[in-house]
Amino acid sequence: MSDGQGQQGAGVGVGIETGPGWHAGAVPPPQVGTAMSLVLTGRQHTPGDAVREFESYLHRQGMSRRELWGLWEQAGAGDGAAVGGAVGGGHPGWAAAERMRAAVMGLPQPGKTAMLFVSPAVGGWAGGGRAGVQRVAGLAGEVSARLLSGMDEDESGGPSVRIVQALLDPGQALEQETLSAAGFARLAKLVYMARTLDPGRRGAELDLNGALPGDAGEGQAWQERGYSPLTHPAFAAAVLASYEDTLDCPGLLGLRTIEDVLAGHRATGRFDASLWRLVMVGDEPAAVILLAAVGLPSGDGPKQNVDGTPATAAGGAAAETYELVYLGVSKRFRGRGLAGRLLRYGMGLVHARGGRRLLLAVDDRNEPAVSLYRSLGFRATARKLAMIRSK
């Protein structure tokens, strides 16, 4: 896996069919800024605030490992170059007669996942037409394959990435076609929602007390537990139990272990064990809610939304933006209003910490969850198409 500096080794790019007049390969250090600009904006220009903020975010999060690859066009190659030529050797992009037309970045993340970023199709993207789609699909396929073939450096020796995910805007039809050609499948259409928590409001929905009903049925009571190493197995069991007949991204089931899933949840924003809550009935998990601080107060840095926009609360700074990382109810306890009660309780936890905004993402096919969120004041802010490639 590349070391984050875009170094190119022997054999890099083998298997990518670019066509005559085109080169593909790992981005050399002098052109990292250009490649990042293409990934974030689809345009070539001197790296601006967006690139600097993204690089700063990666540094703060310790994400130095990445695959950053580019596609270069030689002067005079034209838009009609046929696909089928072999990839060029050497260091592409060094020659003044070549221009980077597209870039792809793969970013490994905790929980054995990775995000794939493909430069948007702007202007004469990769030569245009079917040839352009095939060129960039080859690039995306190579980068994702390299991510999925990497191995952990710890004693487990297992794969370091099991799922590569990409998020697209609904109108990015060309990018969707490109990722499909690269081996990605549609996972879900995600709805991003947000709710403002008024600091001056003391309504019942922000009340920390009385969130759960007193009787769980069959003479048993709800039992609330916090997260700790001792309760970790119970949290894992609760998340697993909530997957039964789930309507939220069922295509992800079975692709990772529950420990990998929890590692990914824990890495979201700034982990705070007091924001992970579990509801039990006897020894049986009933529901679980996981929250995290993800945004600093205004003026303290860029914000991070649940769609991957870079930023996070750092150090001991108080956060004003939080994310609902996960909310799940075991099948046997559904239909009792438990999800709504637990979410109101979660909003109370956020409110007590001075949080002013709560974000979430949900599969648009999960109509019960979408209806619940709307009933509690959440409003849609964006929509994304999630596509994945798995090991």
Side-chain angles (χ1 to χ4, degrees), residues 44-65:
Q44 285 189 333
H45 56 71
T46 302
D49 290 342
V51 174
R52 285 193 291 269
E53 287 183 358
F54 193 80
E55 290 282 14
S56 175
Y57 165 72
L58 297 182
H59 177 74
R60 291 198 309 273
Q61 297 294 98
M63 297 180 182
S64 60
R65 299 170 63 195

Side-chain angles (χ1 to χ4, degrees), residues 265-287:
H265 289 334
R266 185 180 179 121
T268 300
R270 184 177 65 195
F271 175 70
D272 181 347
S274 67
L275 291 174
W276 283 31
R277 312 301 292 181
L278 172 66
V279 178
M280 303 283 292
V281 177
D283 294 330
E284 184 178 1

Side-chain angles (χ1 to χ4, degrees), residues 191-195 357 360 370 374 377-383:
V191 182
Y192 295 89
M193 308 183 79
R195 186 193 193 278
R357 195 162 182 250
L360 62 88
V370 173
R374 285 175 176 163
F378 287 84
R379 295 294 178 261
T381 58
R383 294 178 185 272

